[in-house]
Amino acid sequence: MKLLRYGPKGQEKPGLLDASGRIRDLSVHVDDIAGDVLSPEGLRRLAAIDPSGLPLVDGTPRLGPCVGGVGKFICIGLNYADHAAETGAEIPKEPVVFNKWTSAISGPNDDIEIPRGSVKTDWEVELGVVIGKGGRYIEEEDALSHVAGFCVVNDVSEREWQIERGGTWDKGKGCDSFGPIGPWLVTPDEAGDIGNLGMWLEVDGHRFQNGTTATMIFGVAHLISYLTRFLSLQPGDVISTGTPPGVGLGQKPPVFLKGGEVIRLGIDGLGEQTQKVVRA
């Protein structure tokens, strides 16, 4: 299934994408794509619904973040060997963990806002993992059974604030609009081989990132197991798993967003995002 949320900000309704690429309204069956709806049983109930019997949604409504009620937005840094190389960083011995604030979450095609005072706003296409079944001390061999689905994430980053201003990375990662999620949540049965998905990102038509999840250092199952040594995961938590090479910081010379650009990004089988860059 490809699950989604559509409508004005803060008023999104649940929906799914049918086989013809049309949005169907799920409001009669669930209140949101969130919480228990993401559990294995919740997803089984949705999978049993005949999409042709659901109301069609007219037009092309705004798409919201593909999951609601996110409790934690956890990110993994330097998780692609080729990206670590372009930044001059050593290959991490353990996953590098940081957070985005949930206020950073936005729809897949919403504007990205360059924060006031920013001079080094950057992009990162990433594979997002949405938790469906919570847990603590999850074994790696069981980890994928806790996944509700996968999605595209743009881990927008302010590099000066992340790297040059002291403290943790978080201050350069969690600004408002810095976490577009979607367009849809793709359940594992339709997501393909998550260990070998092509992923790409373009700015104004120029392709900067063109990579694959095959160069991940730590795979999805390992990341879930690793994180639950330190915290419990709940349904709706999002894990963004790192980016391949081609970020602005890695260009020679570096390239950063100024405002007015259009970013397009996508992952095989998981859909595409398009964002206009504006100044806050």
Side-chain angles (χ1 to χ4, degrees):
M1 290 182 294
K2 293 182 173 68
L3 302 172
L4 56 90
R5 302 167 70 246
Y6 69 95
K9 291 182 181 181
Q11 302 175 45
E12 291 92 348
K13 295 181 178 181
L16 62 75
L17 199 71
D18 69 16
S20 300
R22 298 172 298 183
I23 296 175
R24 300 276 183 166
D25 184 16
L26 277 171
S27 297
V28 172
H29 297 277
V30 295
D31 292 330
D32 201 355
I33 307 299
D36 290 342
V37 172
L38 300 168
S39 69
E41 179 57 33
L43 293 177
R44 279 193 292 269
R45 286 196 295 267
L46 291 184
I49 298 169
D50 180 1
S52 66
L54 296 171
L56 273 171
V57 177
D58 293 330
T60 53
R62 169 189 173 267
L63 295 177
C66 60
V67 60
V70 177
K72 294 188 286 295
F73 194 170
I74 305 167
C75 300
I76 308 298
L78 300 173
N79 194 34
Y80 282 66
D82 37 9
H83 172 56
E86 78 169 340
T87 63
E90 293 185 6
I91 300 297
K93 294 181 174 60
E94 295 190 31
V96 175
V97 180
F98 63 92
N99 294 290
K100 283 184 179 284
W101 320 124
T102 55
S103 52
I105 294 173
S106 58
N109 304 318
D110 292 345
D111 291 347
I112 290 172
E113 293 188 358
I114 297 179
R116 295 176 185 176
S118 165
V119 294
K120 295 184 179 180
T121 297
D122 201 350
W123 57 81
E124 296 187 9
V125 58
E126 305 205 358
L127 172 69
V129 180
V130 178
I131 297 299
K133 181 173 68 173
R136 191 178 179 203
Y137 302 119
I138 297 170
E139 296 294 336
E140 189 166 339
E141 56 266 31
D142 298 327
L144 294 182
S145 70
H146 290 256
V147 175
F150 303 93
C151 62
V152 182
V153 175
N154 189 354
D155 175 19
V156 187
S157 309
E158 212 300 339
R159 301 301 189 187
E160 181 189 12
W161 302 352
Q162 174 192 354
I163 299 169
E164 302 172 35
R165 295 279 291 271
T168 68
W169 286 11
D170 300 340
K171 71 176 73 171
K173 292 284 192 172
C175 304
D176 289 5
S177 80
F178 272 26
I181 298 175
W184 18 84
L185 171 66
V186 182
T187 51
D189 58 304
E190 292 191 14
D193 179 4
I194 59 168
N196 191 24
L197 297 178
M199 52 204 308
W200 54 272
L201 183 145
E202 298 174 351
V203 180
D204 289 340
H206 177 79
R207 184 157 294 198
F208 282 94
Q209 293 190 271
N210 200 20
T212 168
T213 58
T215 64
M216 269 190 188
I217 299 166
F218 305 106
V220 170
H222 181 85
L223 292 173
I224 291 170
S225 178
Y226 180 85
L227 288 170
T228 60
R229 300 178 198 175
F230 312 107
L231 52 90
S232 60
L233 292 172
Q234 283 89 37
D237 287 347
V238 176
I239 304 169
S240 198
T241 58
T243 197
V247 300
L249 179 65
Q251 306 303 306
K252 301 186 186 306
V255 176
F256 298 113
L257 299 168
K258 305 296 184 186
E261 300 94 343
V262 174
I263 300 175
R264 290 183 61 243
L265 60 149
I267 299 178
D268 289 351
L270 304 185
E272 299 182 9
Q273 302 182 355
T274 302
Q275 296 118 17
K276 184 176 179 181
V277 181
V278 301
R279 302 200 71 91

